Amino acid sequence: MSDAGSGSESSGSGSNDGSSGSTIQNAINNRVQREYREEMVKDMAVEQMKQKMHDIVNRLGKEVERKMDIAVDDLFTEVKRFNLKNYELKQLFNEKSNSHEGHRKSAKTDGKLPDKVFMPRNSLLTDLFEVKHIKTIYHIFIVILIILFLNTVVHDFVDTGSINLGFRPIIAGFGKFHIALMLWCCMQTSTFLLYPCFRMWALFRKNFTAGSPMKKLWDWCAVVLFVSYQCGFIAAAIKALLWFDLPPASSVAYLMEMTRFLMKAHAFIRSNVPRALVSGKKHADSKPTSPDTYQGLPSFSKYAYFLFAPTLVYRDEYPRTKQIRWRVVARHALEVIGVVFYISFILERFLAPLFEKFGHAKISSGSFVLSLFGSIMPGSLSFLCAFYSLLHAWMNGAAELLRFADRMFYRDWWNESTFAGYIRSWNVVVHDWLYTYVYKDCVEHVFRNCRPLATVTVFTVSSVFHELILAFTFRFFYPVMFVQFEFLGLMLMFVTKRLGKNVGNVLLWLVLSIGNGLHLSLYNMEYYARRNCPDIGDSIVDYMVPVSWSCNGISHNPNWTITAPWSLP
């Protein structure tokens, strides 16, 4: 019995040792697994950290590479601009050999006229303002304008006890601006729709065999439809202007945009029709891989960029800047606003008092002459301010927003000694369009190298559209601008052609000053005469005949005498 009891005890202790050993083993295994899991988590964390560091290094590398590319591109651009700037600045202080055509290529070997070339460059005043002496003159001009403004304000306050800041022309002139903006959106949409119509014409041409009558009929139908579209665009825009009776400032902005859309549409169609014709002949027997490949036509994005770009000559690609300098945009926007207010001040304070009585009673010839000469200085100031606002501040602001790098919107027209040079330098944007799509086509296709007729055509087109804008802005036809462009302009081209540089420059400035004064005088006379004279009809004859000549017009003063200062009493 005792041996049996001792055996049972030993077996019980062995089972206890086995259970305790398994418990210890399980604990060891659990600890090992836990440590393994911890090591795995650590390894995963380390791998994630390495991946994040790798991503950060890659992003930093790409950013540094991008910054280096921009810096290198900017360096090369600045070197090119520096060389171009040095050349142009040298030309400002020396005689110019061929500066007018320097922005175009040399003549083609086939005898055709050269084309417009776009390149990165600043506006001339932008480069000149980097010279501290020129910048100081700019500051002096601003101070003179401020002093003139303060002098008038103080004079009014002392004499009348009130201050007239001259804002009434802005408030009255830019009335219904929201309607003008709505009409602008309609014109913009209409111009956008021209692109799919053009693509449809180019696409359907491939269905006709080369030289077939149906293909020629399809092309001529497209030409007729495009001309009809242009005419309908003008008629609809003017009809809307008259229907909503837009004030003068809103009207002139709206009509200038109408003209810009017409010029853009013509430039796009004229530049791409030859490409569609050549592409159609080249791929007549092969199937295209894509519509763009077949037609060789630009994408809609290029067309849309061209519609907003500050140029009227179409290209698929333009030189672009790397980034937008928002401070430059803000500065130019402030300059535009400041010039608008200053021109309003000039109109209110200097021009309106001279002409607001026209139509109430007859004006003596002496008063008319005084008004004419009294408007020369305000007219010259308005002319210079309008130039700076439109062709420098506005165009450079738009170019900066669109990263458009070629900013030669004008040249040094103030140094010109001939009227032909002034016309080419004053507004390079419009001149390039007239040269590319009117003068060049007339010389090469219409008049067959007869350049005088091409020149007359250019002046006629320009004068017609200038007069169109003014006629529907003021609601009367008074062809002062047309006569100045079409007849006096052509005459001055020949008169100033052989004059010396100094004499020609003085004569040019004299003609510009008197011309601006005469222009402002006659249009102000007619505008106020139509406002003040009763019973003005609405017929076409009443629209065409100047009221200022018949309704309380100018009475001749026959008692003028001229006494020599050296004559004896």
Side-chain angles (χ1 to χ4, degrees):
M1 296 290 293
S2 62
D3 293 337
S6 62
S8 63
E9 288 177 359
S10 62
S11 62
S13 63
S15 63
N16 291 333
D17 291 340
S19 62
S20 62
S22 63
T23 302
I24 293 172
Q25 186 64 35
N26 290 334
I28 292 173
N29 292 336
N30 290 335
R31 183 175 180 179
V32 170
Q33 291 177 359
R34 186 170 59 254
E35 289 179 353
Y36 178 75
R37 287 195 297 269
E38 290 177 354
E39 289 295 328
M40 290 291 293
V41 170
K42 290 180 180 179
D43 291 341
M44 292 175 62
V46 170
E47 289 296 327
Q48 290 180 355
M49 184 64 67
K50 289 182 179 179
Q51 185 64 34
K52 289 182 179 179
M53 292 297 295
H54 183 69
D55 294 339
I56 291 174
V57 170
N58 286 338
R59 286 199 299 268
L60 288 175
K62 292 179 180 178
E63 184 67 20
V64 171
E65 184 178 358
R66 188 180 68 84
K67 295 281 189 182
M68 288 296 295
D69 289 340
I70 293 176
V72 172
D73 290 341
D74 289 343
L75 177 62
F76 280 109
T77 301
E78 287 301 321
V79 170
K80 291 179 181 178
R81 288 183 177 179
F82 180 77
N83 292 333
L84 182 64
K85 186 192 307 181
N86 283 342
Y87 172 76
E88 291 180 345
L89 288 177
K90 287 179 182 178
Q91 298 304 312
L92 288 178
F93 300 102
N94 296 281
E95 295 294 330
K96 295 177 288 185
S97 59
N98 195 20
S99 62
H100 295 310
E101 305 301 328
H103 66 299
R104 300 195 182 101
K105 292 181 180 177
S106 58
K108 298 181 180 178
T109 56
D110 56 0
K112 293 185 178 181
L113 296 175
D115 294 324
K116 164 77 176 181
V117 177
F118 291 92
M119 63 182 69
R121 49 191 164 184
N122 289 329
S123 292
L124 184 56
L125 288 179
T126 302
D127 291 336
L128 287 176
F129 287 155
E130 294 182 6
V131 181
K132 64 179 183 179
H133 306 291
I134 306 297
K135 190 69 174 179
T136 301
I137 295 175
Y138 171 76
H139 293 157
I140 292 173
F141 191 77
I142 293 177
V143 170
I144 291 174
L145 298 183
I146 294 174
I147 291 175
L148 181 63
F149 180 81
L150 292 177
N151 178 61
T152 306
V153 169
V154 172
H155 185 272
D156 283 350
F157 184 76
V158 172
D159 284 352
T160 64
S162 62
I163 297 177
N164 180 14
L165 299 179
F167 293 161
R168 283 186 296 178
I170 295 179
I171 298 172
F174 285 99
K176 300 182 181 180
F177 191 75
H178 62 289
I179 297 178
L181 188 60
M182 178 194 68
L183 296 176
W184 179 88
C185 292
C186 295
M187 292 192 298
Q188 180 72 71
T189 304
S190 170
T191 311
F192 275 142
L193 293 176
L194 186 66
Y195 180 82
C197 296
F198 176 71
R199 290 297 297 266
M200 183 179 67
W201 164 77
L203 182 64
F204 278 101
R205 291 188 80 253
K206 69 176 183 177
N207 297 328
F208 304 105
T209 59
S212 65
M214 290 301 298
K215 194 171 190 177
K216 294 182 179 179
L217 179 62
W218 176 255
D219 292 341
W220 278 108
C221 287
V223 172
V224 172
L225 286 176
F226 177 67
V227 174
S228 301
Y229 163 78
Q230 296 279 64
C231 296
F233 187 90
I234 296 174
I238 292 176
K239 182 67 176 178
L241 170 74
L242 299 177
W243 176 269
F244 290 103
D245 193 23
L246 297 181
S250 297
S251 295
V252 72
Y254 170 75
L255 290 172
M256 289 175 68
E257 282 296 288
M258 176 200 75
T259 307
R260 185 178 69 89
F261 283 129
L262 288 170
M263 298 168 78
K264 293 266 190 180
H266 179 83
F268 177 78
I269 297 297
R270 175 64 185 85
S271 298
N272 287 284
V273 163
R275 298 169 58 180
L277 297 177
V278 173
S279 180
K281 293 178 181 179
K282 183 178 179 181
H283 300 279
D285 300 327
S286 61
K287 289 188 177 181
T289 56
S290 68
D292 283 339
T293 303
Y294 177 81
Q295 301 297 344
L297 299 179
S299 62
F300 179 76
S301 60
K302 294 180 179 179
Y303 175 65
Y305 180 82
F306 169 65
L307 290 183
F308 291 96
T311 181
L312 296 172
V313 177
Y314 178 80
R315 294 289 185 272
D316 285 343
E317 301 291 340
Y318 298 97
R320 306 284 294 275
T321 57
K322 293 295 182 181
Q323 58 186 353
I324 300 175
R325 298 172 296 175
W326 292 103
R327 289 186 178 180
V328 174
V329 176
R331 186 181 74 246
H332 288 313
L334 290 176
E335 287 176 336
V336 171
I337 295 173
V339 169
V340 168
F341 276 95
Y342 189 72
I343 291 179
S344 172
F345 174 76
I346 291 175
L347 292 175
E348 178 75 11
R349 302 300 307 173
F350 296 102
L351 291 176
L354 294 175
F355 302 101
E356 61 185 359
K357 299 296 181 63
F358 273 80
H360 283 302
K362 282 188 174 294
I363 303 296
S364 66
S365 54
S367 299
F368 168 71
V369 173
L370 290 176
S371 299
L372 173 62
F373 280 88
S375 62
I376 289 178
M377 187 56 67
S380 300
L381 284 175
S382 300
F383 169 76
L384 294 175
C385 289
F387 157 75
Y388 187 84
S389 175
L390 294 176
L391 292 177
H392 181 76
W394 179 269
M395 298 296 283
N396 275 280
E400 190 67 38
L401 280 174
L402 293 167
R403 299 192 295 112
F404 189 83
D406 191 345
R407 303 181 182 182
M408 193 183 70
F409 307 122
Y410 54 87
R411 289 191 290 274
D412 56 327
W413 56 268
W414 48 86
N415 290 331
E416 296 294 341
S417 57
T418 63
F419 192 74
Y422 163 75
I423 290 295
R424 287 192 292 262
S425 305
W426 151 253
N427 188 343
V428 173
V429 180
V430 174
H431 171 261
D432 284 340
W433 186 90
L434 290 170
Y435 168 83
T436 304
Y437 302 111
V438 180
Y439 182 82
K440 193 168 181 288
D441 281 349
C442 286
V443 170
E444 296 177 358
H445 304 292
V446 180
F447 300 123
R448 299 297 180 183
N449 294 323
C450 185
R451 300 197 176 195
L453 286 178
T455 302
V456 172
T457 303
V458 167
F459 271 85
T460 302
V461 172
S462 178
S463 58
V464 165
F465 276 94
H466 276 83
E467 192 59 45
L468 180 72
I469 292 173
L470 290 176
F472 286 99
T473 294
F474 298 111
R475 312 297 195 273
F476 57 80
F477 178 72
Y478 202 23
V480 179
M481 180 71 79
F482 183 85
V483 172
Q484 284 185 345
F485 268 80
E486 185 70 10
F487 300 105
L488 296 180
L490 288 172
M491 182 186 70
L492 287 172
M493 286 188 65
F494 295 100
V495 170
T496 60
K497 188 175 182 179
R498 300 186 181 279
L499 292 177
K501 185 175 178 60
N502 294 330
V503 176
N505 186 251
V506 171
L507 180 62
L508 179 67
W509 274 103
L510 182 62
V511 169
L512 287 177
S513 300
I514 296 177
N516 286 320
L518 181 65
H519 187 267
L520 285 176
S521 297
L522 295 178
Y523 271 100
N524 272 287
M525 284 171 52
E526 184 66 17
Y527 178 76
Y528 282 104
R530 287 180 176 268
R531 289 183 57 181
N532 297 329
C533 289
D535 301 330
I536 299 177
D538 295 329
S539 65
I540 297 179
V541 176
D542 295 323
Y543 179 82
M544 303 287 287
V545 176
V547 174
S548 57
W549 292 6
S550 57
C551 178
N552 294 325
I554 301 173
S555 62
H556 179 61
N557 184 3
N559 296 323
W560 288 0
T561 57
I562 299 177
T563 303
W566 56 82
S567 60
L568 298 175

mmCIF file of all heavy atoms in Angstrom, residues 96 100 411-427 431 493 496 508:
data_model
loop_
_atom_site.group_PDB
_atom_site.id
_atom_site.type_symbol
_atom_site.label_atom_id
_atom_site.label_comp_id
_atom_site.label_asym_id
_atom_site.label_seq_id
_atom_site.Cartn_x
_atom_site.Cartn_y
_atom_site.Cartn_z
ATOM 1 N N LYS A 96 18.827 106.197 -86.311
ATOM 2 C CA LYS A 96 18.340 104.841 -86.490
ATOM 3 C C LYS A 96 18.394 104.494 -87.968
ATOM 4 O O LYS A 96 17.892 105.219 -88.810
ATOM 5 C CB LYS A 96 16.907 104.709 -85.975
ATOM 6 C CG LYS A 96 16.799 104.904 -84.489
ATOM 7 C CD LYS A 96 15.365 104.830 -84.045
ATOM 8 C CE LYS A 96 14.598 106.053 -84.484
ATOM 9 N NZ LYS A 96 13.238 106.066 -83.974
ATOM 10 N N HIS A 100 12.384 100.740 -87.818
ATOM 11 C CA HIS A 100 10.958 100.469 -87.998
ATOM 12 C C HIS A 100 10.722 99.019 -88.384
ATOM 13 O O HIS A 100 9.711 98.442 -88.019
ATOM 14 C CB HIS A 100 10.389 101.399 -89.074
ATOM 15 C CG HIS A 100 10.436 102.833 -88.677
ATOM 16 N ND1 HIS A 100 9.971 103.285 -87.471
ATOM 17 C CD2 HIS A 100 10.915 103.926 -89.345
ATOM 18 C CE1 HIS A 100 10.148 104.608 -87.410
ATOM 19 N NE2 HIS A 100 10.716 105.002 -88.528
ATOM 20 N N ARG A 411 6.701 102.155 -80.148
ATOM 21 C CA ARG A 411 8.118 102.509 -80.197
ATOM 22 C C ARG A 411 8.262 103.993 -79.858
ATOM 23 O O ARG A 411 7.297 104.633 -79.440
ATOM 24 C CB ARG A 411 8.700 102.181 -81.572
ATOM 25 C CG ARG A 411 8.830 100.689 -81.824
ATOM 26 C CD ARG A 411 9.664 100.428 -83.092
ATOM 27 N NE ARG A 411 8.933 100.831 -84.284
ATOM 28 C CZ ARG A 411 8.077 100.057 -84.933
ATOM 29 N NH1 ARG A 411 7.829 98.838 -84.501
ATOM 30 N NH2 ARG A 411 7.453 100.482 -86.008
ATOM 31 N N ASP A 412 9.449 104.519 -80.039
ATOM 32 C CA ASP A 412 9.707 105.907 -79.635
ATOM 33 C C ASP A 412 9.127 106.873 -80.666
ATOM 34 O O ASP A 412 9.863 107.600 -81.339
ATOM 35 C CB ASP A 412 11.196 106.136 -79.418
ATOM 36 C CG ASP A 412 12.015 105.779 -80.647
ATOM 37 O OD1 ASP A 412 11.618 104.852 -81.367
ATOM 38 O OD2 ASP A 412 13.042 106.434 -80.892
ATOM 39 N N TRP A 413 7.809 106.906 -80.732
ATOM 40 C CA TRP A 413 7.129 107.772 -81.695
ATOM 41 C C TRP A 413 7.390 109.242 -81.408
ATOM 42 O O TRP A 413 7.281 110.085 -82.310
ATOM 43 C CB TRP A 413 5.625 107.500 -81.673
ATOM 44 C CG TRP A 413 4.991 107.659 -80.327
ATOM 45 C CD1 TRP A 413 4.791 106.705 -79.387
ATOM 46 C CD2 TRP A 413 4.457 108.873 -79.766
ATOM 47 N NE1 TRP A 413 4.180 107.236 -78.269
ATOM 48 C CE2 TRP A 413 3.967 108.564 -78.483
ATOM 49 C CE3 TRP A 413 4.368 110.193 -80.219
ATOM 50 C CZ2 TRP A 413 3.386 109.515 -77.658
ATOM 51 C CZ3 TRP A 413 3.785 111.149 -79.395
ATOM 52 C CH2 TRP A 413 3.298 110.791 -78.138
ATOM 53 N N TRP A 414 7.698 109.589 -80.176
ATOM 54 C CA TRP A 414 7.934 110.991 -79.825
ATOM 55 C C TRP A 414 9.216 111.537 -80.444
ATOM 56 O O TRP A 414 9.418 112.742 -80.491
ATOM 57 C CB TRP A 414 7.991 111.133 -78.304
ATOM 58 C CG TRP A 414 8.869 110.124 -77.635
ATOM 59 C CD1 TRP A 414 10.210 110.206 -77.430
ATOM 60 C CD2 TRP A 414 8.462 108.859 -77.099
ATOM 61 N NE1 TRP A 414 10.683 109.088 -76.801
ATOM 62 C CE2 TRP A 414 9.629 108.243 -76.570
ATOM 63 C CE3 TRP A 414 7.256 108.192 -76.998
ATOM 64 C CZ2 TRP A 414 9.599 106.988 -75.971
ATOM 65 C CZ3 TRP A 414 7.222 106.947 -76.394
ATOM 66 C CH2 TRP A 414 8.372 106.346 -75.888
ATOM 67 N N ASN A 415 10.091 110.647 -80.918
ATOM 68 C CA ASN A 415 11.330 111.083 -81.573
ATOM 69 C C ASN A 415 11.219 111.139 -83.091
ATOM 70 O O ASN A 415 12.188 111.507 -83.761
ATOM 71 C CB ASN A 415 12.483 110.130 -81.212
ATOM 72 C CG ASN A 415 12.906 110.260 -79.768
ATOM 73 O OD1 ASN A 415 12.788 111.326 -79.174
ATOM 74 N ND2 ASN A 415 13.384 109.168 -79.193
ATOM 75 N N GLU A 416 10.078 110.746 -83.628
ATOM 76 C CA GLU A 416 9.949 110.670 -85.083
ATOM 77 C C GLU A 416 9.952 112.060 -85.713
ATOM 78 O O GLU A 416 9.501 113.040 -85.113
ATOM 79 C CB GLU A 416 8.667 109.936 -85.473
ATOM 80 C CG GLU A 416 8.630 108.471 -85.052
ATOM 81 C CD GLU A 416 9.670 107.641 -85.776
ATOM 82 O OE1 GLU A 416 10.163 108.089 -86.824
ATOM 83 O OE2 GLU A 416 10.000 106.548 -85.275
ATOM 84 N N SER A 417 10.460 112.112 -86.939
ATOM 85 C CA SER A 417 10.493 113.375 -87.681
ATOM 86 C C SER A 417 9.607 113.332 -88.922
ATOM 87 O O SER A 417 9.464 114.346 -89.606
ATOM 88 C CB SER A 417 11.934 113.696 -88.110
ATOM 89 O OG SER A 417 12.469 112.631 -88.887
ATOM 90 N N THR A 418 9.003 112.166 -89.209
ATOM 91 C CA THR A 418 8.083 112.040 -90.340
ATOM 92 C C THR A 418 6.763 111.470 -89.853
ATOM 93 O O THR A 418 6.711 110.734 -88.861
ATOM 94 C CB THR A 418 8.660 111.109 -91.425
ATOM 95 O OG1 THR A 418 8.814 109.787 -90.892
ATOM 96 C CG2 THR A 418 10.006 111.613 -91.902
ATOM 97 N N PHE A 419 5.714 111.813 -90.565
ATOM 98 C CA PHE A 419 4.400 111.311 -90.179
ATOM 99 C C PHE A 419 4.294 109.813 -90.441
ATOM 100 O O PHE A 419 3.612 109.102 -89.695
ATOM 101 C CB PHE A 419 3.312 112.060 -90.964
ATOM 102 C CG PHE A 419 1.930 111.820 -90.440
ATOM 103 C CD1 PHE A 419 1.502 112.410 -89.263
ATOM 104 C CD2 PHE A 419 1.050 110.988 -91.115
ATOM 105 C CE1 PHE A 419 0.233 112.191 -88.773
ATOM 106 C CE2 PHE A 419 -0.226 110.758 -90.637
ATOM 107 C CZ PHE A 419 -0.634 111.361 -89.460
ATOM 108 N N ALA A 420 4.979 109.314 -91.461
ATOM 109 C CA ALA A 420 4.980 107.873 -91.725
ATOM 110 C C ALA A 420 5.623 107.115 -90.567
ATOM 111 O O ALA A 420 5.129 106.062 -90.138
ATOM 112 C CB ALA A 420 5.714 107.585 -93.031
ATOM 113 N N GLY A 421 6.726 107.636 -90.039
ATOM 114 C CA GLY A 421 7.358 107.005 -88.885
ATOM 115 C C GLY A 421 6.483 107.054 -87.654
ATOM 116 O O GLY A 421 6.442 106.096 -86.865
ATOM 117 N N TYR A 422 5.778 108.162 -87.461
ATOM 118 C CA TYR A 422 4.863 108.266 -86.324
ATOM 119 C C TYR A 422 3.741 107.236 -86.430
ATOM 120 O O TYR A 422 3.401 106.578 -85.430
ATOM 121 C CB TYR A 422 4.284 109.685 -86.270
ATOM 122 C CG TYR A 422 3.054 109.800 -85.412
ATOM 123 C CD1 TYR A 422 3.147 109.783 -84.026
ATOM 124 C CD2 TYR A 422 1.788 109.918 -85.991
ATOM 125 C CE1 TYR A 422 2.014 109.881 -83.238
ATOM 126 C CE2 TYR A 422 0.654 110.016 -85.218
ATOM 127 C CZ TYR A 422 0.770 109.992 -83.833
ATOM 128 O OH TYR A 422 -0.361 110.075 -83.065
ATOM 129 N N ILE A 423 3.178 107.055 -87.604
ATOM 130 C CA ILE A 423 2.090 106.094 -87.789
ATOM 131 C C ILE A 423 2.567 104.676 -87.475
ATOM 132 O O ILE A 423 1.857 103.881 -86.859
ATOM 133 C CB ILE A 423 1.534 106.180 -89.227
ATOM 134 C CG1 ILE A 423 0.783 107.499 -89.424
ATOM 135 C CG2 ILE A 423 0.630 104.996 -89.536
ATOM 136 C CD1 ILE A 423 -0.459 107.635 -88.578
ATOM 137 N N ARG A 424 3.779 104.350 -87.878
ATOM 138 C CA ARG A 424 4.312 103.010 -87.621
ATOM 139 C C ARG A 424 4.672 102.803 -86.157
ATOM 140 O O ARG A 424 4.667 101.678 -85.670
ATOM 141 C CB ARG A 424 5.544 102.759 -88.488
ATOM 142 C CG ARG A 424 5.238 102.541 -89.959
ATOM 143 C CD ARG A 424 6.459 102.015 -90.693
ATOM 144 N NE ARG A 424 7.508 103.019 -90.777
ATOM 145 C CZ ARG A 424 7.721 103.787 -91.844
ATOM 146 N NH1 ARG A 424 6.941 103.668 -92.899
ATOM 147 N NH2 ARG A 424 8.701 104.675 -91.843
ATOM 148 N N SER A 425 5.014 103.876 -85.441
ATOM 149 C CA SER A 425 5.535 103.741 -84.077
ATOM 150 C C SER A 425 4.497 103.987 -83.002
ATOM 151 O O SER A 425 4.654 103.504 -81.880
ATOM 152 C CB SER A 425 6.699 104.726 -83.863
ATOM 153 O OG SER A 425 7.693 104.539 -84.834
ATOM 154 N N TRP A 426 3.457 104.718 -83.301
ATOM 155 C CA TRP A 426 2.499 105.150 -82.286
ATOM 156 C C TRP A 426 1.737 103.979 -81.679
ATOM 157 O O TRP A 426 1.664 103.827 -80.457
ATOM 158 C CB TRP A 426 1.552 106.175 -82.914
ATOM 159 C CG TRP A 426 0.175 106.229 -82.322
ATOM 160 C CD1 TRP A 426 -0.967 105.768 -82.881
ATOM 161 C CD2 TRP A 426 -0.189 106.783 -81.066
ATOM 162 N NE1 TRP A 426 -2.028 105.989 -82.054
ATOM 163 C CE2 TRP A 426 -1.574 106.619 -80.919
ATOM 164 C CE3 TRP A 426 0.518 107.399 -80.037
ATOM 165 C CZ2 TRP A 426 -2.279 107.041 -79.792
ATOM 166 C CZ3 TRP A 426 -0.175 107.823 -78.921
ATOM 167 C CH2 TRP A 426 -1.547 107.654 -78.805
ATOM 168 N N ASN A 427 1.169 103.128 -82.505
ATOM 169 C CA ASN A 427 0.388 101.978 -82.016
ATOM 170 C C ASN A 427 0.846 100.755 -82.812
ATOM 171 O O ASN A 427 0.302 100.441 -83.858
ATOM 172 C CB ASN A 427 -1.098 102.241 -82.197
ATOM 173 C CG ASN A 427 -1.970 101.184 -81.531
ATOM 174 O OD1 ASN A 427 -1.509 100.092 -81.199
ATOM 175 N ND2 ASN A 427 -3.237 101.506 -81.324
ATOM 176 N N HIS A 431 -0.892 98.699 -85.941
ATOM 177 C CA HIS A 431 -0.092 98.796 -87.159
ATOM 178 C C HIS A 431 0.312 97.419 -87.673
ATOM 179 O O HIS A 431 0.308 97.174 -88.888
ATOM 180 C CB HIS A 431 1.155 99.640 -86.906
ATOM 181 C CG HIS A 431 2.129 99.618 -88.038
ATOM 182 N ND1 HIS A 431 3.251 98.790 -88.036
ATOM 183 C CD2 HIS A 431 2.167 100.265 -89.227
ATOM 184 C CE1 HIS A 431 3.912 98.946 -89.161
ATOM 185 N NE2 HIS A 431 3.287 99.838 -89.900
ATOM 186 N N MET A 493 2.405 112.632 -94.871
ATOM 187 C CA MET A 493 3.413 111.627 -95.175
ATOM 188 C C MET A 493 4.388 112.126 -96.233
ATOM 189 O O MET A 493 5.596 111.869 -96.164
ATOM 190 C CB MET A 493 2.739 110.332 -95.644
ATOM 191 C CG MET A 493 2.064 109.541 -94.536
ATOM 192 S SD MET A 493 1.485 107.939 -95.100
ATOM 193 C CE MET A 493 3.027 107.117 -95.496
ATOM 194 N N THR A 496 6.363 115.693 -94.778
ATOM 195 C CA THR A 496 7.421 115.510 -93.782
ATOM 196 C C THR A 496 8.485 114.511 -94.213
ATOM 197 O O THR A 496 9.416 114.238 -93.444
ATOM 198 C CB THR A 496 6.801 115.030 -92.453
ATOM 199 O OG1 THR A 496 6.123 113.775 -92.669
ATOM 200 C CG2 THR A 496 5.807 116.042 -91.923
ATOM 201 N N LEU A 508 6.073 117.819 -86.434
ATOM 202 C CA LEU A 508 5.186 116.719 -86.062
ATOM 203 C C LEU A 508 4.469 117.011 -84.753
ATOM 204 O O LEU A 508 3.248 116.823 -84.653
ATOM 205 C CB LEU A 508 5.994 115.423 -85.953
ATOM 206 C CG LEU A 508 5.201 114.175 -85.537
ATOM 207 C CD1 LEU A 508 4.210 113.786 -86.622
ATOM 208 C CD2 LEU A 508 6.157 113.018 -85.244
#
